[in-house]
Amino acid sequence: MITITDKEFKQLAAYIKAHYGIYLKNEKQALVIGRLQHVLMDRNFHSFSEYYEYLISDKTGNAAAILINKISTNHTFFMREADHFDFFRDKVLPFLKNTVLDKDLRIWSAGCSSGEEPYTLAMILDEYLGWDKNQWDARVLATDISSIVLDKATKGIYKTEDVLSLPPYWRHSYIKKLDGETSVISDKIKNDVIFRQFNLMNNPFPFKKKFHVIFCRNVMIYFDAQTKRELINKFYDSIEYGGYLFIGHSESLNHEESKFRYIMPAVYRKEYLNGR
Ligand SMILES: C[S@@+](CC[C@H](N)C(=O)[O-])C[C@H]1O[C@@H](n2cnc3c(N)ncnc32)[C@H](O)[C@@H]1O
């Protein structure tokens, strides 16, 4: 088993924080060894120093891609923090339906992992807009840094037991059983979600238009306070006035940290300048 020295850990942790925002405290040494052990063994490296040299000299991007696939924590599930979806359907969508006059809805699931969150948003949109949907551009942008989870998300195949938490009407309308054990998201819903690889540390964000809603849930728990503050500011600049930011329930913002107004646990709004 390969071990890691304090110096090697600090070096690698600094690289990961600088490139991906993910902050690894000293206590995470065992996690880093566990997740990267096989990567080092496959390449015949005998130490983390050797691995680090390879990582920083690799110009293909492969080493960095493997690293982030191993280091990111991608745990997610359908209907996670479900009160957010109720609020999105009952308050946010009626507001947007009345105010977005060009019918171009811009909704972003940032840190979407294997797709459960953006597919849920697409199902809500489909059900809510109903027959009117063809008049709207209501596709959801879904991004993540990890190529492995994005591959899974794009396929839209899940264990049947994992989709059981979805309401029966959605299971019936938007999900097909492949066999007893696996189910697939219908093409109709798949076509409403655009998956892209994107690093939230990119500065500035490249989007031409602002979003009406951003979901960035359970992503910033892995960032330190300053990285989180900077990201929140980028989100603020990327949201329309009146738009909403949803974060994870364990990631609340304090008032000094941002210009967003608190609406309910883990939901914030970019207020109109006139306070509407
Ligand atoms: C725990 S999952 C959250 C999934 C979903 N939003 C939810 O709440 O269930 C966190 C995701 O954030 C992604 N992530 C971490 N750092 C990132 C970064 N710098 N840029 C983009 N995505 C990142 C990870 O790859 C991971 O899939």
Side-chain angles (χ1 to χ4, degrees):
M1 161 132 165
I2 301 168
T3 53
I4 195 165
T5 65
D6 282 350
K7 185 170 165 241
E8 287 171 330
F9 179 78
K10 279 205 180 85
Q11 204 171 36
L12 188 57
Y15 177 97
I16 291 168
K17 182 166 178 298
H19 288 81
Y20 310 114
I22 297 170
Y23 171 56
L24 296 165
K25 288 190 198 140
N26 239 350
E27 300 89 84
K28 299 285 180 187
Q29 291 201 7
L31 176 138
V32 167
I33 295 174
R35 290 194 182 178
L36 293 175
Q37 188 78 223
H38 283 284
V39 178
L40 270 71
M41 279 166 25
D42 286 349
R43 299 220 154 236
N44 251 335
F45 294 138
H46 300 292
S47 70
F48 271 89
S49 303
E50 263 183 75
Y51 168 70
Y52 183 75
E53 285 309 313
Y54 155 71
L55 176 68
I56 57 171
S57 57
D58 174 57
K59 299 281 177 268
T60 65
N62 285 344
I66 293 171
L67 173 67
I68 189 61
N69 278 329
K70 293 283 179 195
I71 286 299
S72 58
T73 298
N74 316 110
H75 178 64
T76 186
F77 48 93
F78 283 108
M79 302 308 279
R80 184 177 202 176
E81 303 180 7
D83 56 327
H84 281 168
F85 297 123
D86 295 341
F87 184 79
F88 176 69
R89 181 196 58 215
D90 298 340
K91 298 285 182 216
V92 178
L93 285 182
F95 162 75
L96 294 176
K97 199 173 179 192
N98 285 329
T99 53
V100 178
L101 302 178
D102 64 1
K103 298 193 180 328
D104 176 18
L105 279 185
R106 292 184 298 275
I107 292 160
W108 179 18
S109 165
C112 64
S113 190
S114 36
E116 289 83 341
E117 178 182 276
Y119 282 136
T120 303
L121 295 172
M123 292 180 213
I124 296 172
L125 281 158
D126 190 83
E127 189 181 24
Y128 180 80
L129 293 172
W131 291 106
D132 291 343
K133 191 170 153 218
N134 57 6
Q135 298 168 25
W136 288 78
D137 184 350
R139 285 168 300 170
V140 176
L141 173 67
T143 65
D144 203 282
I145 186 76
S146 160
S147 58
I148 289 186
V149 289
L150 286 171
D151 279 352
K152 177 170 181 204
T154 312
K155 290 192 181 94
I157 298 174
Y158 301 95
K159 284 195 201 137
T160 299
E161 63 183 272
D162 293 344
V163 302
L164 287 179
S165 56
L166 293 171
Y169 171 75
W170 291 0
R171 292 205 309 265
H172 175 74
S173 309
Y174 305 130
I175 291 177
K176 280 183 298 189
K177 273 202 181 148
L178 286 177
D179 52 51
E181 283 174 15
T182 49
S183 295
V184 64
I185 305 290
S186 70
D187 287 345
K188 175 181 159 124
I189 293 298
K190 273 193 195 169
N191 291 336
D192 284 341
V193 181
I194 301 165
F195 288 105
R196 292 280 180 274
Q197 191 168 29
F198 182 72
N199 186 351
L200 290 165
M201 295 302 107
N202 285 357
N203 225 346
F205 284 166
F207 309 108
K208 291 199 190 80
K209 293 184 176 172
K210 294 192 195 299
F211 296 94
H212 299 106
V213 181
I214 298 176
F215 276 74
C216 184
R217 305 186 310 160
N218 306 299
V219 178
M220 290 181 284
I221 22 170
Y222 305 106
F223 299 166
D224 69 0
Q226 193 192 334
T227 309
K228 179 177 164 192
R229 218 171 13 248
E230 286 166 8
L231 182 56
I232 294 288
N233 285 337
K234 286 194 285 183
F235 284 148
Y236 187 86
D237 293 338
S238 309
I239 288 190
E240 296 278 8
Y241 285 105
Y244 288 86
L245 173 69
F246 292 76
I247 63 177
H249 277 86
S250 59
E251 302 169 308
S252 62
L253 307 181
N254 49 41
H255 288 300
E256 306 84 61
E257 216 164 36
S258 88
K259 292 178 262 180
F260 282 107
R261 182 159 71 91
Y262 172 86
I263 301 295
M264 63 179 248
V267 181
Y268 297 84
R269 191 169 196 206
K270 178 166 170 174
E271 277 194 292
Y272 288 100
L273 291 176
N274 61 10
R276 258 202 298 157

